[in-house]
Amino acid sequence: MRLPGLRHVRAVLWLHLVRTGRYMTGLVNWAVIDGLWISIYVLGALMFTDPKDYPVIAPLIFWAILAWNLLSTPVWVIGNWAKFYINIGVYEEHELAGVSHNLFLSIRVIPAVMVALISAGFVAYLVHYVTGTNVLVAENLVVLVLSLLAILVISISYSLVLAYMAIITQAPAPMLDFLNFLVFIVGGVGVPVDSLPPLLRWIAAITPYSHPAELIRWASIGKEPYLGVSWEAILTLGFVAAAMLLAYSMSRRATRYARKYGLRGIGRT
Amino acid sequence: MGVAGIVKAELYLQISWLRSNRVLFALQLFWPYTAILVIYVMGSAYGSVENLASALGVEDPLLYIVAASAIMFAASGIIDQTASVALWHRWLGTLPYIYTSTPSFTRYLVVSGLTSSLFQSAFNFLALAPAAFIIGGLSSGLRLFLVFAVMIIGALPLIGLGITAAIASILAREEGNVLSFLNPLLVFLGGVFYPIEILPKILQEASTIIPVRYVVDAARLAAGFQTPTGQGILLILYSLALLIVLYNGLASLGVSRLERATRKRGLY
């Protein structure tokens, strides 16, 4: 495995930062959009809740939403953006210059995280306004941050897999959001695994995001994880490693395919 | 090309698009259900349907969620369909050709946007019809149809907003639609899944110029979720009429501004 040189890292980082600055209006617009959509669902879900339960439920919902934001935004910012990478001819430029596609696509995590954090701030304010509860609570800040990071790493890896799928197939963009929603509902991210029906608990158990999400709930308000803290931590690390390996293997396969047959992911998706 | 020609071409495009991309077709059928599922599963895990009925003041909360989801997808689709078509042509490089050819650009935006919006709205409502029938039989299906009829009236001011968004994006020379935040903003301030009263005061005030709010109110009345009063119906109709004039007037001004700007610097 050839690691990207420092010169490449600097160049790609510079490119993405310039681009982020150039399209700052678009980035803020994206964050506002995310914040508003999430708020619609969060406020809708809060209407089911008895107001006396807000002190416990509001933080649970907020952290679940932040986790989902971190897992879904890179999918769009990296995974779906691959169609631009391919359509405008930048893929070939980087291929000829010997720059790693993984490096180029992964660094788009900068705008992704910016979008996720801005929108989460908006949601936190709104939930606080509606419920009168401080949602930014953490019983174990270190585990909370590490679990959020684990979700981010799995999400980047998954986004890279999708980006490379766009090279050899033509994955329709709405599928990305559809799968994100499914993960949120049945994947143990939006709601604790133990509150899901028995069949869905099995599905949640094999969903990589459910384990860091359970740790987040434990680290924020002390809710005991479904499989216990140790098992959830081991499974989280396992899924992080597996996701990174899968992304790397997919990148090699897609690059070989593109060199032999050319790019396929072109057109309106 | 006349209005009928644009309608025909747009419908052909929409149908061809769905026919050539089966995965997209299936996803669009199931997509509205994911919204319902998210709200329902998350809400039920943290509370109960009875609390929702009490918070929203509706008799049948499940049917209301179905109707509200249909409104949400239709409203956001209208802005998206109108504004995104101009951006798509810019990305493809065909915008200058569309702009300089007959029919006029405004007519193209209005007719094409209206056709695709209504097509998508009808698609969303049809996709959700089985859920309404399962929840409450024929009467629920008819209620959903009434909500769709109200949505068509509500689409008229939204088209004006969509055209304004398209023009703003072209003038701003941004990669994406800089006014695409209008989509969720309309749904957010429309109080589709929650009462407007829970929002901060300033947002409650802002919601008075949001067409979706009146569509939601009218949908609740039309669908029998609340007892209709003559005054309530008139207030909704007057408000929607006012907003039709306001937003379509704004769009006309925007088109004039776009024409002046493109004569000066070209269109790209």
Side-chain angles (χ1 to χ4, degrees):
Chain A
M1 178 181 169
R2 188 168 61 85
L3 289 172
L6 192 61
R7 196 165 57 90
H8 286 179
V9 175
R10 269 214 320 263
V12 173
L13 194 61
W14 177 82
L15 184 145
H16 282 306
L17 288 175
V18 167
R19 198 174 177 283
T20 303
R22 166 70 182 83
Y23 293 121
M24 189 49 82
T25 321
L27 187 135
V28 173
N29 182 51
W30 192 337
V32 171
I33 290 169
D34 265 12
L36 288 170
W37 276 125
I38 291 167
S39 301
I40 291 162
Y41 288 103
V42 166
L43 294 182
L46 275 174
M47 292 302 102
F48 286 72
T49 309
D50 191 334
K52 71 175 191 304
D53 296 331
Y54 281 161
V56 175
I57 300 298
L60 268 182
I61 291 181
F62 171 74
W63 289 112
I65 288 297
L66 179 60
W68 184 69
N69 220 355
L70 285 175
L71 78 88
S72 69
T73 313
V75 168
W76 280 99
V77 178
I78 298 171
N80 187 47
W81 193 80
K83 72 179 178 195
F84 282 105
Y85 188 51
I86 297 165
N87 283 355
I88 62 179
V90 184
Y91 180 94
E92 286 91 343
E93 294 281 346
H94 287 78
E95 182 74 26
L96 290 172
V99 176
S100 156
H101 301 297
N102 280 336
L103 173 73
F104 184 84
L105 291 168
S106 300
I107 291 185
R108 274 187 60 77
V109 75
I110 296 170
V113 169
M114 284 170 77
V115 166
L117 291 181
I118 295 171
S119 57
F122 175 75
V123 176
Y125 163 73
L126 202 66
V127 173
H128 173 66
Y129 180 88
V130 171
T131 64
T133 306
N134 177 23
V135 293
L136 298 170
V137 288
E139 286 191 4
N140 190 329
L141 191 61
V142 176
V143 174
L144 186 70
V145 172
L146 287 176
S147 306
L148 288 169
L149 276 176
I151 284 189
L152 192 62
V153 173
I154 298 173
S155 171
I156 293 169
S157 307
Y158 173 58
S159 306
L160 286 173
V161 170
L162 288 173
Y164 289 114
M165 271 173 69
I167 289 171
I168 53 176
T169 63
Q170 197 174 4
M175 184 186 268
L176 309 179
D177 239 8
F178 187 74
L179 290 176
N180 282 341
F181 265 99
L182 277 186
V183 165
F184 184 73
I185 303 162
V186 301
V189 176
V191 295
V193 175
D194 60 11
S195 63
L196 290 169
L199 178 68
L200 293 186
R201 283 182 209 170
W202 282 101
I203 296 174
I206 55 166
T207 305
Y209 297 113
S210 73
H211 306 290
E214 284 289 294
L215 288 176
I216 288 170
R217 282 185 273 271
W218 175 73
S220 60
I221 62 154
K223 189 181 182 318
E224 198 57 34
Y226 183 57
L227 298 173
V229 177
S230 308
W231 270 110
E232 297 289 4
I234 291 166
L235 285 168
T236 297
L237 288 174
F239 274 117
V240 165
M244 288 171 76
L245 272 174
L246 182 67
Y248 176 68
S249 138
M250 191 69 190
S251 77
R252 283 178 61 92
R253 195 180 151 205
T255 309
R256 272 202 307 271
Y257 179 95
R259 282 175 188 163
K260 199 169 178 184
Y261 302 108
L263 300 165
R264 284 200 66 200
I266 297 168
R268 193 173 183 176
T269 54
Chain B
M1 186 186 275
V3 170
I6 305 173
V7 170
K8 200 175 154 192
E10 187 60 44
L11 282 176
Y12 183 74
L13 171 70
Q14 294 289 333
I15 292 166
S16 305
W17 192 14
L18 289 176
R19 279 178 63 185
S20 64
N21 199 335
R22 301 286 164 85
V23 179
L24 187 69
F25 177 76
L27 286 173
Q28 288 207 348
L29 272 181
F30 287 110
W31 190 232
Y33 288 96
T34 55
I36 296 171
L37 220 58
V38 167
I39 292 276
Y40 184 74
V41 171
M42 202 167 159
S44 304
Y46 295 125
S48 70
V49 179
E50 289 72 30
N51 287 334
L52 177 74
S54 151
L56 291 174
V58 294
E59 289 170 15
D60 189 342
L62 287 182
L63 183 60
Y64 181 74
I65 292 177
V66 172
S69 300
I71 293 172
M72 180 173 86
F73 277 92
S76 61
I78 289 166
I79 299 285
D80 202 35
Q81 290 290 327
T82 318
S84 67
V85 75
L87 275 175
W88 181 247
H89 282 301
R90 192 178 67 181
W91 290 337
L92 287 179
T94 47
L95 188 61
Y97 300 100
I98 300 276
Y99 191 76
T100 50
S101 63
T102 54
S104 71
F105 188 58
T106 316
R107 186 193 286 181
Y108 170 75
L109 274 182
V110 171
V111 178
S112 152
L114 191 63
T115 310
S116 56
S117 302
L118 291 181
F119 181 85
Q120 288 292 333
S121 301
F123 193 89
N124 286 328
F125 273 83
L126 276 175
L128 284 171
F133 278 109
I134 289 167
I135 289 170
L138 187 63
S139 97
S140 291
L142 287 173
R143 284 179 183 196
L144 194 68
F145 181 75
L146 275 172
V147 174
F148 176 62
V150 175
M151 189 66 231
I152 290 174
I153 302 170
L156 297 175
L158 292 174
I159 291 284
L161 260 177
I163 292 173
T164 311
I167 291 165
S169 297
I170 294 168
L171 291 175
R173 302 183 198 180
E174 279 281 333
E175 180 186 58
N177 176 5
V178 288
L179 285 187
S180 53
F181 70 88
L182 277 175
N183 267 349
L185 187 69
L186 291 171
V187 180
F188 177 72
L189 293 178
V192 174
F193 289 119
Y194 44 83
I196 291 292
E197 292 70 32
I198 66 166
L199 297 177
K201 196 76 185 162
I202 190 168
L203 296 179
Q204 288 184 39
E205 295 294 331
S207 78
T208 54
I209 56 160
I210 299 297
V212 179
R213 176 183 174 158
Y214 302 104
V215 175
V216 170
D217 286 348
R220 283 184 190 169
L221 292 177
F225 294 115
Q226 289 174 357
T227 314
T229 62
Q231 197 187 2
I233 294 168
L234 280 176
L235 185 68
I236 289 166
L237 289 177
Y238 280 136
S239 304
L240 278 175
L242 204 66
L243 292 178
I244 289 171
V245 175
L246 175 72
Y247 288 121
N248 287 294
L250 197 67
S252 305
L253 288 175
V255 171
S256 314
R257 168 90 178 76
L258 179 69
E259 279 175 3
R260 279 201 304 277
T262 47
R263 276 191 206 122
K264 259 187 200 168
R265 69 175 200 209
L267 186 64
Y268 54 88

mmCIF file of all heavy atoms in Angstrom, chain B residues 6-27:
data_model
loop_
_atom_site.group_PDB
_atom_site.id
_atom_site.type_symbol
_atom_site.label_atom_id
_atom_site.label_comp_id
_atom_site.label_asym_id
_atom_site.label_seq_id
_atom_site.Cartn_x
_atom_site.Cartn_y
_atom_site.Cartn_z
ATOM 1 N N ILE B 6 -44.880 21.978 -23.799
ATOM 2 C CA ILE B 6 -43.969 21.879 -22.635
ATOM 3 C C ILE B 6 -44.490 20.832 -21.654
ATOM 4 O O ILE B 6 -43.722 20.029 -21.120
ATOM 5 C CB ILE B 6 -43.824 23.247 -21.922
ATOM 6 C CG1 ILE B 6 -43.365 24.326 -22.897
ATOM 7 C CG2 ILE B 6 -42.837 23.154 -20.767
ATOM 8 C CD1 ILE B 6 -43.363 25.726 -22.303
ATOM 9 N N VAL B 7 -45.820 20.835 -21.446
ATOM 10 C CA VAL B 7 -46.419 19.859 -20.513
ATOM 11 C C VAL B 7 -46.119 18.436 -20.999
ATOM 12 O O VAL B 7 -45.680 17.578 -20.229
ATOM 13 C CB VAL B 7 -47.952 20.086 -20.396
ATOM 14 C CG1 VAL B 7 -48.614 18.935 -19.637
ATOM 15 C CG2 VAL B 7 -48.245 21.403 -19.711
ATOM 16 N N LYS B 8 -46.333 18.247 -22.313
ATOM 17 C CA LYS B 8 -46.125 16.912 -22.889
ATOM 18 C C LYS B 8 -44.655 16.483 -22.740
ATOM 19 O O LYS B 8 -44.359 15.360 -22.339
ATOM 20 C CB LYS B 8 -46.519 16.953 -24.367
ATOM 21 C CG LYS B 8 -46.821 15.617 -24.977
ATOM 22 C CD LYS B 8 -47.307 15.813 -26.391
ATOM 23 C CE LYS B 8 -47.006 14.564 -27.204
ATOM 24 N NZ LYS B 8 -47.194 14.772 -28.629
ATOM 25 N N ALA B 9 -43.762 17.413 -23.055
ATOM 26 C CA ALA B 9 -42.330 17.104 -22.982
ATOM 27 C C ALA B 9 -41.905 16.796 -21.544
ATOM 28 O O ALA B 9 -41.143 15.860 -21.285
ATOM 29 C CB ALA B 9 -41.522 18.276 -23.527
ATOM 30 N N GLU B 10 -42.410 17.584 -20.597
ATOM 31 C CA GLU B 10 -42.038 17.387 -19.197
ATOM 32 C C GLU B 10 -42.569 16.043 -18.675
ATOM 33 O O GLU B 10 -41.862 15.323 -17.966
ATOM 34 C CB GLU B 10 -42.576 18.549 -18.348
ATOM 35 C CG GLU B 10 -42.119 18.543 -16.899
ATOM 36 C CD GLU B 10 -40.614 18.620 -16.723
ATOM 37 O OE1 GLU B 10 -39.982 19.431 -17.432
ATOM 38 O OE2 GLU B 10 -40.061 17.860 -15.902
ATOM 39 N N LEU B 11 -43.816 15.724 -19.032
ATOM 40 C CA LEU B 11 -44.391 14.440 -18.598
ATOM 41 C C LEU B 11 -43.603 13.277 -19.202
ATOM 42 O O LEU B 11 -43.328 12.279 -18.533
ATOM 43 C CB LEU B 11 -45.866 14.342 -19.019
ATOM 44 C CG LEU B 11 -46.850 15.120 -18.155
ATOM 45 C CD1 LEU B 11 -48.260 15.027 -18.727
ATOM 46 C CD2 LEU B 11 -46.854 14.597 -16.713
ATOM 47 N N TYR B 12 -43.226 13.449 -20.487
ATOM 48 C CA TYR B 12 -42.441 12.404 -21.162
ATOM 49 C C TYR B 12 -41.111 12.196 -20.443
ATOM 50 O O TYR B 12 -40.679 11.074 -20.202
ATOM 51 C CB TYR B 12 -42.221 12.809 -22.623
ATOM 52 C CG TYR B 12 -41.479 11.772 -23.425
ATOM 53 C CD1 TYR B 12 -42.111 10.587 -23.818
ATOM 54 C CD2 TYR B 12 -40.140 11.953 -23.778
ATOM 55 C CE1 TYR B 12 -41.428 9.620 -24.536
ATOM 56 C CE2 TYR B 12 -39.459 10.993 -24.492
ATOM 57 C CZ TYR B 12 -40.094 9.827 -24.865
ATOM 58 O OH TYR B 12 -39.415 8.865 -25.574
ATOM 59 N N LEU B 13 -40.484 13.327 -20.051
ATOM 60 C CA LEU B 13 -39.204 13.258 -19.338
ATOM 61 C C LEU B 13 -39.366 12.524 -18.009
ATOM 62 O O LEU B 13 -38.592 11.620 -17.679
ATOM 63 C CB LEU B 13 -38.665 14.672 -19.089
ATOM 64 C CG LEU B 13 -37.449 14.762 -18.158
ATOM 65 C CD1 LEU B 13 -36.206 14.190 -18.829
ATOM 66 C CD2 LEU B 13 -37.179 16.198 -17.740
ATOM 67 N N GLN B 14 -40.391 12.927 -17.235
ATOM 68 C CA GLN B 14 -40.599 12.318 -15.916
ATOM 69 C C GLN B 14 -40.843 10.813 -16.028
ATOM 70 O O GLN B 14 -40.269 10.027 -15.277
ATOM 71 C CB GLN B 14 -41.806 12.983 -15.220
ATOM 72 C CG GLN B 14 -41.612 14.441 -14.858
ATOM 73 C CD GLN B 14 -40.635 14.646 -13.705
ATOM 74 O OE1 GLN B 14 -40.473 13.786 -12.866
ATOM 75 N NE2 GLN B 14 -39.956 15.774 -13.712
ATOM 76 N N ILE B 15 -41.714 10.433 -16.983
ATOM 77 C CA ILE B 15 -42.053 9.012 -17.124
ATOM 78 C C ILE B 15 -40.840 8.221 -17.631
ATOM 79 O O ILE B 15 -40.536 7.134 -17.130
ATOM 80 C CB ILE B 15 -43.274 8.835 -18.058
ATOM 81 C CG1 ILE B 15 -44.522 9.417 -17.365
ATOM 82 C CG2 ILE B 15 -43.520 7.369 -18.402
ATOM 83 C CD1 ILE B 15 -45.710 9.632 -18.257
ATOM 84 N N SER B 16 -40.131 8.803 -18.594
ATOM 85 C CA SER B 16 -38.946 8.111 -19.140
ATOM 86 C C SER B 16 -37.895 7.913 -18.059
ATOM 87 O O SER B 16 -37.235 6.874 -17.981
ATOM 88 C CB SER B 16 -38.323 8.909 -20.283
ATOM 89 O OG SER B 16 -39.269 9.164 -21.254
ATOM 90 N N TRP B 17 -37.748 8.934 -17.238
ATOM 91 C CA TRP B 17 -36.759 8.888 -16.167
ATOM 92 C C TRP B 17 -37.064 7.728 -15.218
ATOM 93 O O TRP B 17 -36.178 6.942 -14.851
ATOM 94 C CB TRP B 17 -36.773 10.237 -15.439
ATOM 95 C CG TRP B 17 -35.637 10.455 -14.492
ATOM 96 C CD1 TRP B 17 -34.484 9.734 -14.408
ATOM 97 C CD2 TRP B 17 -35.547 11.473 -13.502
ATOM 98 N NE1 TRP B 17 -33.689 10.244 -13.424
ATOM 99 C CE2 TRP B 17 -34.317 11.304 -12.850
ATOM 100 C CE3 TRP B 17 -36.385 12.510 -13.108
ATOM 101 C CZ2 TRP B 17 -33.907 12.142 -11.817
ATOM 102 C CZ3 TRP B 17 -35.980 13.339 -12.081
ATOM 103 C CH2 TRP B 17 -34.748 13.164 -11.442
ATOM 104 N N LEU B 18 -38.337 7.616 -14.824
ATOM 105 C CA LEU B 18 -38.736 6.542 -13.912
ATOM 106 C C LEU B 18 -38.627 5.176 -14.597
ATOM 107 O O LEU B 18 -38.243 4.184 -13.980
ATOM 108 C CB LEU B 18 -40.157 6.767 -13.409
ATOM 109 C CG LEU B 18 -40.340 7.928 -12.425
ATOM 110 C CD1 LEU B 18 -41.803 8.122 -12.070
ATOM 111 C CD2 LEU B 18 -39.546 7.691 -11.144
ATOM 112 N N ARG B 19 -38.980 5.125 -15.894
ATOM 113 C CA ARG B 19 -38.936 3.846 -16.614
ATOM 114 C C ARG B 19 -37.503 3.358 -16.793
ATOM 115 O O ARG B 19 -37.233 2.156 -16.753
ATOM 116 C CB ARG B 19 -39.598 3.989 -17.983
ATOM 117 C CG ARG B 19 -41.117 3.907 -17.891
ATOM 118 C CD ARG B 19 -41.756 4.092 -19.232
ATOM 119 N NE ARG B 19 -41.401 3.040 -20.174
ATOM 120 C CZ ARG B 19 -41.766 3.053 -21.442
ATOM 121 N NH1 ARG B 19 -42.480 4.054 -21.915
ATOM 122 N NH2 ARG B 19 -41.426 2.068 -22.240
ATOM 123 N N SER B 20 -36.590 4.315 -16.998
ATOM 124 C CA SER B 20 -35.211 3.891 -17.262
ATOM 125 C C SER B 20 -34.438 3.635 -15.975
ATOM 126 O O SER B 20 -33.346 3.096 -15.997
ATOM 127 C CB SER B 20 -34.486 4.941 -18.099
ATOM 128 O OG SER B 20 -34.394 6.136 -17.357
ATOM 129 N N ASN B 21 -34.975 4.055 -14.862
ATOM 130 C CA ASN B 21 -34.286 3.838 -13.596
ATOM 131 C C ASN B 21 -35.251 3.202 -12.598
ATOM 132 O O ASN B 21 -35.895 3.888 -11.803
ATOM 133 C CB ASN B 21 -33.746 5.173 -13.070
ATOM 134 C CG ASN B 21 -32.658 4.982 -12.030
ATOM 135 O OD1 ASN B 21 -32.612 3.947 -11.375
ATOM 136 N ND2 ASN B 21 -31.807 5.962 -11.862
ATOM 137 N N ARG B 22 -35.356 1.872 -12.677
ATOM 138 C CA ARG B 22 -36.338 1.141 -11.865
ATOM 139 C C ARG B 22 -36.074 1.283 -10.365
ATOM 140 O O ARG B 22 -36.995 1.323 -9.563
ATOM 141 C CB ARG B 22 -36.362 -0.337 -12.245
ATOM 142 C CG ARG B 22 -36.696 -0.597 -13.695
ATOM 143 C CD ARG B 22 -38.172 -0.361 -13.958
ATOM 144 N NE ARG B 22 -38.451 -0.235 -15.379
ATOM 145 C CZ ARG B 22 -38.668 -1.251 -16.209
ATOM 146 N NH1 ARG B 22 -38.650 -2.475 -15.760
ATOM 147 N NH2 ARG B 22 -38.912 -1.041 -17.489
ATOM 148 N N VAL B 23 -34.781 1.336 -10.015
ATOM 149 C CA VAL B 23 -34.433 1.448 -8.589
ATOM 150 C C VAL B 23 -34.983 2.771 -8.054
ATOM 151 O O VAL B 23 -35.581 2.836 -6.977
ATOM 152 C CB VAL B 23 -32.906 1.391 -8.387
ATOM 153 C CG1 VAL B 23 -32.537 1.536 -6.917
ATOM 154 C CG2 VAL B 23 -32.350 0.092 -8.928
ATOM 155 N N LEU B 24 -34.804 3.822 -8.851
ATOM 156 C CA LEU B 24 -35.297 5.139 -8.450
ATOM 157 C C LEU B 24 -36.820 5.110 -8.303
ATOM 158 O O LEU B 24 -37.383 5.673 -7.358
ATOM 159 C CB LEU B 24 -34.895 6.169 -9.508
ATOM 160 C CG LEU B 24 -35.185 7.615 -9.164
ATOM 161 C CD1 LEU B 24 -34.280 8.083 -8.044
ATOM 162 C CD2 LEU B 24 -34.971 8.508 -10.382
ATOM 163 N N PHE B 25 -37.487 4.426 -9.225
ATOM 164 C CA PHE B 25 -38.947 4.306 -9.193
ATOM 165 C C PHE B 25 -39.393 3.653 -7.884
ATOM 166 O O PHE B 25 -40.275 4.160 -7.184
ATOM 167 C CB PHE B 25 -39.406 3.476 -10.402
ATOM 168 C CG PHE B 25 -40.883 3.223 -10.443
ATOM 169 C CD1 PHE B 25 -41.763 4.226 -10.824
ATOM 170 C CD2 PHE B 25 -41.402 1.984 -10.101
ATOM 171 C CE1 PHE B 25 -43.129 4.000 -10.855
ATOM 172 C CE2 PHE B 25 -42.769 1.750 -10.119
ATOM 173 C CZ PHE B 25 -43.635 2.759 -10.507
ATOM 174 N N ALA B 26 -38.745 2.531 -7.550
ATOM 175 C CA ALA B 26 -39.100 1.812 -6.316
ATOM 176 C C ALA B 26 -38.823 2.683 -5.092
ATOM 177 O O ALA B 26 -39.633 2.751 -4.158
ATOM 178 C CB ALA B 26 -38.312 0.517 -6.231
ATOM 179 N N LEU B 27 -37.682 3.379 -5.118
ATOM 180 C CA LEU B 27 -37.325 4.216 -3.970
ATOM 181 C C LEU B 27 -38.317 5.356 -3.787
ATOM 182 O O LEU B 27 -38.692 5.702 -2.670
ATOM 183 C CB LEU B 27 -35.923 4.794 -4.159
ATOM 184 C CG LEU B 27 -34.765 3.816 -3.974
ATOM 185 C CD1 LEU B 27 -33.454 4.468 -4.343
ATOM 186 C CD2 LEU B 27 -34.711 3.332 -2.536
#
